[in-house]
Amino acid sequence: MLFGAVSLHMLIFWGQWATDPDISWLVTFSTPKYVRGFIAWAALAAIVLTSLPPVRRMLFNVFYAVHFSFVVFFVFVYLHTPHEVQFYLIGAIVIYSIDKALQTVWGLLPRRAKDIEVLLSDVVKLRIPRDCIHAAVGLDRPGQYIFLNVPGINPLEWHPFSLTSSPTAPEYEVAIRASGNFTQALLAKARTHASSAQAMYVRVDGPYGHVPIDLHATPAAVLVLGGIGITPAVGILRAIAAGALSGPRGCRVHVVWIVRQAEHFSWFEDVLQPLVREARRPGPRLLLSVYVTRPGRAALAPPLRAGRPSLDAILANAVPAGPTWVFACGPDSMIADTWDAVVRRRRGGHAVVFHRETFAL
C-alpha cells in the first residue's frame, strides 16, 4: 500500500512535467529535492521486489538484507520533504525501536535444545525450554509460531516455524523439514549433535500469532494439511487433548493429512494415534485420515489410504446442517483446492469459515 501511494505520487508529478513545456526533465532530475525523492522510491521498490514469494523463498538472505534499505527510505523521505513527514517518521522510529527492544529481551540469551531428533533423513525435531515469562502471563495460544535463530549457523538469521507443542507443555517443539539453505544447515548440524550428544544452542523470539479456532461457534472443524504443513495442526490437536482448547460434546475435528509417501506418516505417528484414542472420552471427537499420493507397492492400513481426498464429500460429512471451520496449511495448489471446495459449500447455503496458514515464507 505504501509503495503504491508513493508510486502514484511520483507518477502524478511526472505526468505534470511531461505536459508542461516549460519544465525540462534534465533540470528536474538535477534538482536535489527530486533526486532524494527518487532514491527513497528506489529503496522502497527494492524491498517490494525482494518480498515477492519466489524471490523471498529462494533468496531469503537477499530478502532479509535488502529490507534494511528501509533506513535509506526513511532518510531520503525526510530529506525530500522534512516538514511534512517528520512526525510520521518519529512515530515509526519509536514503534520500531520498541519492537526491536522487546525482541532483544525475549531472544537475547541462547537456550539449550533439550532433544534433537532427525526423522527420515530430512526432518528435524527440536524441543526447547519454554519462556517462563510468556507462560506466567498467559500469552501462549494454540497454533502459534516462533522465530528461531541458531548462532552456530548464523547469529543474525531468524526464521519462523510453527509450534507442534501444546500451549500448556513445558517445552516448545518444532518440526522442520530441510528445504532451503538454513534448514539444510540445521539438518547437518542436528545430525552432528544427535550422533555426538553435543549440546546445541538456539535463540527463540516469540511465540506469535494464533489460529482462530472456536469449537463452540463452529462445532465442526476440518483441517486440510499437506506434508510438513501439518505442524500447526499438531499443536492444535495437542491443545485439545490437554484441555487448552475445548468444545461442546459432539463436536468433531477431522484431520485430513496429504503426504507423498507412507513413510511420512512416521513424522507424527507417535503423536497422532494417541491423540485420536484419547479423544474418545467426552469432548471434541478427533478423526484422522491420511492420504498417500504416491503409495507405490506399500500396503496401507488405516488411517492411511491411497489417492487424494474428496474435499467436497469431507465438508459435506463434517456437520451436514451446522457451521464448519476449515483450516488449510500446505502447498498453494492444495490450499486453492480447499478454497474452491469451501466456495462450493457456501454456494449451497452452508456456513463455512475458512483460514489458511502460510506454508513457507
Side-chain angles (χ1 to χ4, degrees):
M1 184 181 293
L2 177 61
F3 178 68
V6 173
S7 299
L8 180 62
H9 166 78
M10 186 176 66
L11 289 173
I12 289 174
F13 276 89
W14 282 9
Q16 293 175 350
W17 298 337
T19 57
D20 192 337
D22 297 327
I23 297 179
S24 167
W25 283 89
L26 183 61
V27 172
T28 298
F29 277 98
S30 63
T31 304
K33 174 182 175 69
Y34 299 123
V35 172
R36 295 164 186 161
F38 183 78
I39 292 174
W41 175 86
L44 194 59
I47 293 174
V48 171
L49 291 175
T50 55
S51 297
L52 296 174
V55 179
R56 186 180 67 240
R57 293 174 184 174
M58 293 180 8
L59 302 170
F60 183 85
N61 290 332
V62 173
F63 155 80
Y64 184 82
V66 169
H67 265 61
F68 285 99
S69 61
F70 78 89
V71 176
V72 177
F73 172 76
F74 280 159
V75 169
F76 280 90
V77 162
Y78 177 77
L79 294 175
H80 177 62
T81 55
H83 299 293
E84 288 82 356
V85 302
Q86 59 181 342
F87 294 109
Y88 298 102
L89 290 182
I90 291 172
I93 291 171
V94 169
I95 293 172
Y96 179 80
S97 300
I98 293 174
D99 175 71
K100 287 303 173 185
L102 291 174
Q103 185 182 50
T104 301
V105 170
W106 294 130
L108 179 63
L109 297 178
R111 312 177 196 183
R112 178 174 177 172
K114 285 190 173 183
D115 294 298
I116 306 170
E117 189 177 358
V118 178
L119 308 176
L120 287 182
S121 76
D122 65 347
V123 173
V124 178
K125 273 190 182 181
L126 298 176
R127 293 182 181 86
I128 309 161
R130 183 177 293 274
D131 190 309
C132 59
I133 298 177
H134 274 82
V137 297
L139 295 178
D140 297 316
R141 300 284 187 274
Q144 291 182 308
Y145 64 92
I146 59 172
F147 283 93
L148 186 69
N149 168 258
V150 183
I153 297 176
N154 187 334
L156 299 178
E157 190 171 354
W158 296 78
H159 291 268
F161 297 103
S162 297
L163 291 173
T164 57
S165 50
S166 164
T168 59
E171 302 164 350
Y172 295 132
E173 182 185 272
V174 291
I176 303 166
R177 189 173 190 185
S179 60
N181 293 336
F182 174 79
T183 50
Q184 291 285 359
L186 176 61
L187 175 63
K189 194 171 186 64
R191 284 174 176 161
T192 301
H193 286 268
S195 61
S196 62
Q198 296 178 356
M200 185 168 79
Y201 289 89
V202 300
R203 294 193 295 166
V204 174
D205 179 25
Y208 294 107
H210 76 287
V211 174
I213 178 173
D214 184 353
L215 294 177
H216 293 277
T218 53
V222 178
L223 284 61
V224 183
L225 316 156
I228 201 65
I230 193 176
T231 50
V234 173
I236 294 172
L237 297 180
R238 280 176 161 165
I240 293 174
L245 181 61
S246 63
R249 183 187 295 270
C251 69
R252 298 199 305 175
V253 179
H254 190 175
V255 178
V256 180
W257 187 16
I258 307 168
V259 296
R260 289 184 178 179
Q261 300 172 354
E263 292 80 6
H264 293 167
F265 181 53
S266 66
W267 292 342
F268 293 103
E269 182 178 6
D270 60 332
V271 175
L272 296 175
Q273 295 283 38
L275 288 178
V276 172
R277 288 195 299 268
E278 292 173 11
R280 293 173 182 173
R281 57 186 172 139
R285 181 187 175 197
L286 302 184
L287 305 175
L288 175 63
S289 302
V290 182
Y291 291 84
V292 183
T293 59
R294 299 178 184 176
R297 297 182 179 180
L300 303 181
L304 278 68
R305 61 190 73 183
R308 297 182 181 274
S310 170
L311 296 176
D312 291 316
I314 289 172
L315 293 184
N317 292 330
V319 172
T324 306
W325 183 79
V326 177
F327 173 83
C329 183
D332 291 339
S333 58
M334 187 210 75
I335 292 178
D337 291 341
T338 307
W339 171 245
D340 291 341
V342 167
V343 171
R344 289 190 292 269
R345 184 75 174 158
R346 286 176 176 174
R347 287 174 178 169
H350 301 278
V352 183
V353 179
F354 180 73
H355 179 82
R356 59 162 291 179
E357 284 289 301
T358 301
F359 183 63
L361 293 180

